[in-house]
Amino acid sequence: MASTLRTRRQHWYEHWADQRNPQHAKETEDAYQDLAGELRNLFAAHRADRVLEIGCGDGALFDLLGFNQASRYLGVDFSQAMLDQFRARFPRTDLRTADASRFRTDERFDLIFSSHVAQYWDRGQMARHLDHAAAMLAPDGLIVIAGIPWSRMRLAYGRGDLTGGDLTGGRRRSLPGALASAVRELVAPDIGHWYDLPEVTRLAAARGMRANFRGSGHYPYRFHALFQRTR
Ligand SMILES: C[S@@+](CC[C@H](N)C(=O)[O-])C[C@H]1O[C@@H](n2cnc3c(N)ncnc32)[C@H](O)[C@@H]1O
């Protein structure tokens, strides 16, 4: 079990080591605007002066999310290649190369944000990230983990039921085709780890936080989780 986990973690590390863009379903200006609009809404009612972005990637969303306005921004990603792209675009940004599920500093942040990263974390990494994020959160701070693949939508995704746009899994598949796709996903994962709302609620409660959820319109098989302290 432990060696399977290590192999899976290594798989994602190696996958991202060579990437130079975030591999969103559509990487056009319109698609980025649409996604960023949805993500901005998650923290619009919140003060976001000091921002920590986990899995910040190549910076494609940096100014679209308004993070260029933050008084303090720190981006963390384990892919040097992705951070090189970010630095080329925004040379004065503070970026660190680190495994996000282990990253911790003594600084405090109003917003600890990640988008489309949680799918690369197994349960242990998700729990550890939340431990660290809770410790780095300012008293009224907000943790946003956006774009978490929703396990209840897994079959619909695999069958291509969510098509209609071009963001979600291509053509509708026959049942054998859907099963073949599910098996492929287990052997050579494309999406990664899928989560459900009750387990995220429990993870939050165990750390003295409450979790709220929003569905994703951009990717209908994903949800966003927002965490705040209850005490
Ligand atoms: C799909 S991209 C998303 C990038 C950006 N957040 C966005 O929404 O456009 C995933 C990013 O997470 C990073 N990543 C994945 N797992 C990570 C981990 N354990 N620690 C740090 N970065 C990670 C990858 O290197 C990649 O840059």
Side-chain angles (χ1 to χ4, degrees), residues 9 12-13 15-17 19 21-24 27 32 35 39 53-62 65 76-80 82-83 96-103 113-121 125 146 222:
R9 290 176 184 176
W12 291 122
Y13 178 75
H15 170 85
W16 283 107
Q19 301 301 325
N21 66 57
Q23 303 184 331
H24 283 294
E27 293 191 325
Y32 277 121
L35 176 60
L39 297 176
E53 185 176 9
I54 297 290
C56 57
D58 66 344
L61 294 173
F62 178 64
L65 292 175
V76 173
D77 201 291
F78 67 5
S79 167
Q80 193 56 54
M82 293 291 277
L83 291 181
R96 309 248 174 103
T97 312
D99 179 342
S101 67
R102 293 173 183 276
F103 179 76
F113 178 87
S114 64
S115 138
H116 301 86
V117 186
Q119 70 203 71
Y120 307 110
W121 297 334
Q125 290 173 301
R222 295 176 187 251

Side-chain angles (χ1 to χ4, degrees), residues 3-216:
S3 73
T4 312
L5 273 185
R6 260 198 307 280
T7 312
R8 198 53 78 80
R9 290 176 184 176
Q10 187 65 17
H11 165 82
W12 291 122
Y13 178 75
E14 286 167 9
H15 170 85
W16 283 107
D18 292 334
Q19 301 301 325
R20 283 171 175 69
N21 66 57
Q23 303 184 331
H24 283 294
K26 260 186 140 188
E27 293 191 325
T28 62
E29 192 52 40
D30 282 355
Y32 277 121
Q33 290 279 359
D34 183 66
L35 176 60
E38 176 174 322
L39 297 176
R40 264 197 324 265
N41 267 335
L42 301 174
F43 55 87
H46 220 82
R47 210 178 100 233
D49 287 345
R50 296 165 294 174
V51 177
L52 170 63
E53 185 176 9
I54 297 290
C56 57
D58 66 344
L61 294 173
F62 178 64
D63 48 6
L64 295 176
L65 292 175
F67 291 164
N68 54 344
Q69 309 290 322
S71 61
R72 166 76 172 128
Y73 172 89
L74 175 60
V76 173
D77 201 291
F78 67 5
S79 167
Q80 193 56 54
M82 293 291 277
L83 291 181
D84 287 346
Q85 298 298 312
F86 200 139
R87 271 198 196 93
R89 281 187 166 130
F90 303 103
R92 290 209 302 267
T93 321
D94 190 355
L95 302 174
R96 309 248 174 103
T97 312
D99 179 342
S101 67
R102 293 173 183 276
F103 179 76
R104 186 155 175 167
T105 104
D106 291 337
E107 272 187 79
R108 294 291 173 267
F109 299 92
D110 307 303
L111 175 64
I112 300 180
F113 178 87
S114 64
S115 138
H116 301 86
V117 186
Q119 70 203 71
Y120 307 110
W121 297 334
D122 57 46
R123 264 74 189 161
Q125 290 173 301
M126 172 71 100
R128 205 161 46 222
H129 166 61
L130 282 170
D131 284 341
H132 295 323
M136 295 185 286
L137 198 63
D140 292 320
L142 177 71
I143 300 169
V144 173
I145 302 185
I148 307 175
W150 192 2
S151 57
R152 294 189 196 212
M153 301 301 277
R154 196 167 184 171
L155 182 60
Y157 176 85
R159 280 187 64 140
D161 286 345
L162 301 171
T163 54
D166 38 7
L167 298 176
T168 50
R171 287 176 294 109
R172 191 166 201 281
R173 298 184 182 99
S174 63
L175 191 55
L179 288 175
S181 140
V183 172
R184 225 179 10 255
E185 176 66 19
L186 287 176
V187 179
D190 169 35
I191 297 285
H193 302 276
W194 298 70
Y195 287 86
D196 198 5
L197 313 190
E199 63 181 315
V200 176
T201 300
R202 282 194 297 275
L203 284 167
R207 289 157 183 82
M209 298 191 286
R210 65 173 178 278
N212 285 301
F213 302 103
R214 307 276 183 278
S216 174

